Amino acid sequence: MRTFGEGAPLLMLAGAGGRGAGFMPLARRWRAQYRAYMPDPCAPFAPEEAARGLLARMREAGVERFDVLGASLGGCTALAMAALAPERVRSLTLCAAFARLDEETAGRLAALRGRRLALPDDAFDAEWMDLLYGDMPRPAGSGGVPADALAAQLEAALAFDGRPLLPRIRCPVCVTFGREDRLIPPRLSRELARGVAGAALEAYPGGHMHFLALQAPAFMGF
């Protein structure tokens, strides 16, 4: 697990197709306030199973209580962590996240999963990067996530229904979304925020990767 910075522990969870290293721009920006823990997503990708594994990994790293920032599918895992171990999760920032996919979004992601398995890397990468970054500056390549891993992550997103978890969230929560998100529509982030008592909701310019432009952790105000 990559770590960077000093201060309070902050677990940063990437979404489907992402890697921990993708959070380095934020980790560098917040190095004085937070020590970032940036794992690569690994199987099992189902959020509740992934949450149990990450809770164990943080304990092995000697970290009992921590803030969590989760992006997209990583936000689903963050939700599950806070529901499973409320005494350990200090706050949640959920970026481009969702409690469940609606029919229209599920249909698009199912089709996207099929194309990931059917298309060569170069052909798929252009579509994927457009969905993630839109007009934002983007890194070279798509992060090198194998086709079967991304397909499995999308399958986990399609199967996830975190609505029963929401009443169990006790920590401060901030949900952020990009107004131009082409992958996870803003309406799903709004639905997520409505389901968590006291959750803040913040809109940002840009699309799915809007959070890379955050100048401070959304939960700093709590």
Side-chain angles (χ1 to χ4, degrees), residues 77-129:
T77 299
L79 276 174
M81 293 181 78
L84 291 169
E87 74 284 359
R88 297 188 62 193
V89 176
R90 190 160 43 208
S91 72
L92 293 176
T93 298
L94 307 174
C95 306
F98 52 92
R100 56 100 199 188
L101 297 175
D102 58 20
E103 184 176 354
E104 187 271 336
T105 308
R108 285 193 296 102
L109 291 194
L112 188 66
R113 179 182 181 276
R115 290 196 296 279
R116 171 65 286 201
L117 292 172
L119 293 174
D121 291 348
D122 289 348
F124 181 81
D125 284 353
E127 176 183 4
W128 182 243
M129 295 295 275

Side-chain angles (χ1 to χ4, degrees), residues 166 175 186-201:
L166 302 186
V175 178
R187 64 179 179 271
L188 298 186
S189 295
R190 294 188 182 99
E191 180 184 84
L192 169 59
R194 287 195 298 269
V196 179
L201 180 66

Side-chain angles (χ1 to χ4, degrees), residues 116-154:
R116 171 65 286 201
L117 292 172
L119 293 174
D121 291 348
D122 289 348
F124 181 81
D125 284 353
E127 176 183 4
W128 182 243
M129 295 295 275
D130 282 344
L131 286 172
L132 292 181
Y133 288 91
D135 295 330
M136 290 179 65
R138 60 187 71 180
S142 62
V145 175
D148 57 348
L150 179 54
Q153 291 169 338
L154 292 174

